[in-house]
Amino acid sequence: MAQLWGGRFTKETDALAYAFNASISYDKKLYKQDIAGSKAHAAMLGKQGILTEEETKQILAALDEILEDVSSGKLEITEEHEDIHSFVEAVLIQRLGDAGKKLHTGRSRNDQVALDMRLYIREEAVELDRLLRKLLETLLKIMETHTKTILPGFTHLQKAQPITLSHHMGAYFEMFKRDRQRLFDLYERMNYCPLGSGALAGTTFPLDREYTAKALGFYGPTLNSMDGVSDRDYLIELLSALSMVMMHLSRFSEEIIIWNTNEYQFVEIDDAYSTGSSIMPQKKNPDIAELTRGKTGRVYGALISLLTTMKSLPLAYNKDMQEDKELTFDAVDTAKGCLALFEGMLSSMKFLEENMKKSASRGFTNATDAADYLVNHGVPFRDAHGIIGRIVLYCVEKGIAVEDMSLEELRRFSDCFKEDIFEAVSMEACVNKRLTIGAPAKEAMEAAIKKEKEYLEQNPQIGICV
Ligand code: ARG
C-alpha cells in the first residue's frame, strides 16, 4: 500500500515496523468522528475560497457516502491502511480523484487525531453521564422507599450505630453525584477545537478556526497550536474520573457481596444478575458485583499507563501518544458496561428488611444512645461510657441484647435508668433522634432527598444545565 507520506522514501517500510506503527486495528473506531471533522474542514476550506464550490460539494457528498457505506458494512475498513485518517483520505481519492487530494490542505494528522479523540470523548462523556444519572435515579428510588428500613451502620466492619437503608444509599448518591460533576468539569475544559493546529505550528492557509470549532459544536478553537496537537490532559482527566467511578462501584460491590453472604442475608440478588456453580448446586454467586470490583484494576491501569506515557514527552506531537487509544477505549467500555450492569443488578435486588433490622438490634448498635440517655440524666459522658460498657459485657456473657434486660437488672448498673430507657434505645428512636443535616433520621433524610431531587432536575445531562 502506498503511504500518504511515501514521497520522501526510497524503500518500503519493513513489514514488522509497518504493523508496529499502524493503528488502524483500533482507531477504526473513530471513523464517524474522522469524517465529521473532515466535513467541517472541507466546508471551511470552501468558505475561505481554498477549495472551489464544486470541489467542496463533491468532497462533502463523497464523505457522506463513505460514512454511509462504512456504517452499513458495504465498505470495510481494511488493515492495509495505516490509520483511520489514511483510510478515509484514500477512499476519498479513489472515489473523487484530484478533488479528493485537496482535502488535507492546511491539516495534519496530528490535529486530525487530536480532534477525533476530543469528539469521541465528548460523546462518551455524555453517555457516561446518562448512565450515572440512571444509577442516581435508581438510588433515589431506594432512598425514598426505605427511610424506615433499619440496618446496622459499620465502622471497621463492626456494627456501630443503626442507620437506614435510605441513608446508606444516600452515601452512594453523593459519590456518584460527584462523579457526574467531575465529568461535567472535564467536558467544560476540553470542549475546544484543536483543528487548524496543523502539525504543530498552524498553517499558512487562511483557515477560519472559529468556523470549524462552531460547526463541530465546540466552545471555540484551542489557543496554542503546539498544545492543540499534544494535549492529552483531557484523556487523563477522563481516566481519573472513571477510576473514581470504578472505585465507588467497587466499594458498593464489596458491600453487596458481603450483604449477599449466608451470614448476612441483607439482600437477594435477582437470578438475572447472578450465576451458579458447575459443581455446587446450592450456589448463587454475586458475579456482577465481583466482576465490577475486579475490573476496577483495568481502569486504574489505564490511568497510570497514560500518565506514564505522557511523562517527559517533549513538545509537540510524538508517536508515543498513539498509545492513548486502546487503553482509553477499553476503560470507557469497561466503565460503561459496569455502570449499566450495576444499575440493573441494584434495581432488581431484594432488600431483606427483617434481617437488616435483626442484625442492627443484635449488635449493641444502641450503646451510644444508652450512654446519651445517662448523660441526659446528669451522668458525665465518660462515666456513662463506662457504665454502658459494663452492661454490654454483661449482655455478651448472657447472650442477650440491652433491650432484653429488665429495668431491675439495668438499675443494678445505674439508678438513673427509668422505664423510658426501653423506648430511648429502641432502634427507631436511635435513628430518628439523629436529626442533624445529613443524619439518618427520617425527617433529615427527607430533607436530603428533596435536595438530591432538585439536583437531578437542575442537571439533566452534561452540556445542558437548567
Ligand atoms: N495514528 C496517529 C495517532 O494516533 C495519528 C497521528 C499520526 N501523525 C503522525 N505524524 N504520524 O497518534
Side-chain angles (χ1 to χ4, degrees):
M1 181 71 197
Q3 304 302 338
L4 291 174
W5 35 261
R8 191 220 179 281
F9 288 74
T10 54
K11 231 172 141 182
E12 285 282 307
T13 325
D14 171 81
L16 276 180
Y18 180 80
F20 191 66
N21 189 50
S23 52
I24 187 93
S25 63
Y26 46 88
D27 68 16
K28 63 182 171 193
K29 196 180 177 87
L30 299 172
Y31 77 92
K32 279 190 193 140
Q33 289 81 359
D34 202 69
I35 292 173
S38 291
K39 281 184 66 183
H41 184 65
M44 182 276 297
L45 292 178
K47 182 183 90 67
Q48 298 298 88
I50 301 167
L51 293 178
T52 66
E53 218 171 284
E54 185 50 31
E55 287 164 342
T56 310
K57 237 170 65 192
Q58 282 183 0
I59 291 176
L60 290 178
L63 286 169
D64 276 336
E65 271 171 37
I66 296 173
L67 176 64
E68 208 181 292
D69 292 351
V70 173
S71 302
S72 69
K74 205 166 121 193
L75 177 62
E76 201 193 330
I77 302 176
T78 50
E79 306 222 342
E80 77 211 67
H81 302 275
E82 182 186 331
D83 53 30
I84 190 61
H85 328 295
S86 320
F87 168 80
V88 174
E89 193 176 323
V91 180
L92 190 73
I93 293 170
Q94 213 178 61
R95 293 188 178 185
L96 286 186
D98 281 350
K101 292 186 186 163
K102 294 190 177 177
L103 171 66
H104 211 52
T105 312
R107 190 175 70 166
S108 157
R109 280 184 297 163
N110 297 352
D111 59 349
Q112 209 176 338
V113 76
L115 169 68
D116 290 3
M117 279 306 268
R118 283 193 198 222
L119 288 173
Y120 162 79
I121 296 301
R122 218 172 54 180
E123 229 171 89
E124 294 296 347
V126 172
E127 176 59 9
L128 282 157
D129 181 62
R130 189 189 68 76
L131 289 164
L132 277 167
R133 194 195 150 89
K134 193 153 183 241
L135 180 57
L136 287 177
E137 282 165 358
T138 298
L139 282 167
L140 193 71
K141 245 183 246 155
I142 304 173
M143 285 160 71
E144 287 178 312
T145 317
H146 290 284
T147 52
K148 288 183 181 167
T149 307
I150 290 171
L151 76 159
F154 294 84
T155 62
H156 314 275
L157 207 51
Q158 303 278 319
K159 291 179 197 178
Q161 289 173 344
I163 50 156
T164 64
L165 186 56
S166 180
H167 191 240
H168 199 113
M169 292 294 132
Y172 285 106
F173 191 101
E174 286 290 291
M175 294 182 224
F176 294 116
K177 183 168 84 180
R178 288 195 295 272
D179 288 332
R180 274 192 94 201
Q181 289 162 344
R182 268 184 280 274
L183 278 182
F184 176 81
D185 289 349
L186 74 90
Y187 182 97
E188 290 297 298
R189 234 182 331 274
M190 67 150 252
N191 197 23
Y192 291 87
C193 186
L195 189 62
S197 298
L200 76 161
T203 164
T204 55
F205 294 100
L207 304 189
D208 185 345
R209 294 197 58 210
E210 297 279 356
Y211 175 90
T212 38
K214 195 152 172 252
L216 291 163
F218 289 99
Y219 297 146
T222 52
L223 290 186
N224 182 290
S225 59
M226 301 255 275
D227 182 55
V229 290
S230 66
D231 167 32
R232 298 294 182 270
D233 291 3
Y234 63 99
L235 294 179
I236 293 172
E237 286 188 44
L238 177 80
L239 294 174
S240 156
L242 293 187
S243 293
M244 208 84 94
V245 168
M246 293 303 297
M247 181 263 285
H248 294 151
L249 283 176
S250 77
R251 291 182 71 181
F252 207 166
S253 293
E254 173 75 4
E255 295 208 301
I256 289 174
I257 292 164
I258 293 172
W259 287 1
N260 185 60
T261 55
N262 258 327
E263 289 69 21
Y264 277 76
Q265 294 182 37
F266 281 9
V267 294
E268 199 182 318
I269 299 175
D270 194 82
D271 279 4
Y273 292 94
S274 34
T275 60
S277 153
S278 60
I279 176 171
M280 298 167 283
Q282 84 282 14
K283 290 283 260 211
K284 209 175 127 184
N285 299 325
D287 299 47
I288 302 299
E290 287 175 326
L291 273 171
T292 302
R293 189 177 58 179
K295 285 178 189 290
T296 305
R298 276 165 85 138
V299 178
Y300 288 6
L303 170 63
I304 297 301
S305 194
L306 189 57
L307 274 170
T308 313
T309 297
M310 293 305 293
K311 175 183 172 295
S312 318
L313 280 192
L315 285 173
Y317 178 83
N318 297 272
K319 198 60 177 259
D320 315 46
M321 291 173 184
Q322 180 166 286
E323 287 295 307
D324 63 0
K325 287 180 197 58
E326 284 167 291
L327 50 89
T328 303
F329 295 160
D330 183 68
V332 167
D333 291 343
T334 301
K336 283 197 305 188
C338 290
L339 279 168
L341 276 165
F342 196 91
E343 191 281 327
M345 175 179 68
L346 186 66
S347 57
S348 59
M349 201 158 71
K350 243 210 314 271
F351 296 103
L352 306 177
E353 298 173 35
E354 278 308 306
N355 294 348
M356 288 182 171
K357 172 115 191 250
K358 214 187 300 159
S359 170
S361 30
R362 289 287 126 183
F364 303 105
T365 57
N366 51 3
T368 316
D369 292 75
D372 289 353
Y373 174 94
L374 290 177
V375 171
N376 286 329
H377 287 75
V379 182
F381 181 77
R382 198 42 64 212
D383 293 339
H385 188 286
I387 294 168
I388 303 299
R390 285 189 290 280
I391 292 178
V392 168
L393 187 62
Y394 174 84
C395 289
V396 170
E397 278 162 4
K398 291 194 83 174
I400 57 169
V402 177
E403 53 274 38
D404 296 337
M405 290 171 71
S406 66
L407 184 58
E408 200 194 312
E409 270 176 305
L410 280 168
R411 286 177 67 86
R412 267 186 242 146
F413 292 87
S414 164
D415 54 15
C416 289
F417 286 119
K418 307 262 150 48
E419 192 55 50
D420 62 354
I421 176 65
F422 297 106
E423 158 54 24
V425 299
S426 76
M427 289 296 117
E428 286 75 11
C430 292
V431 165
N432 288 320
K433 274 188 295 194
R434 291 181 154 72
L435 276 162
T436 41
I437 295 176
K442 187 164 179 290
E443 236 172 277
M445 212 44 233
E446 278 165 359
I449 289 172
K450 188 162 165 270
K451 288 226 160 106
E452 305 294 30
K453 263 190 177 158
E454 279 164 16
Y455 153 78
L456 281 180
E457 274 158 24
Q458 285 157 10
N459 298 276
Q461 189 192 310
I462 269 191
I464 302 174
C465 297
V466 290

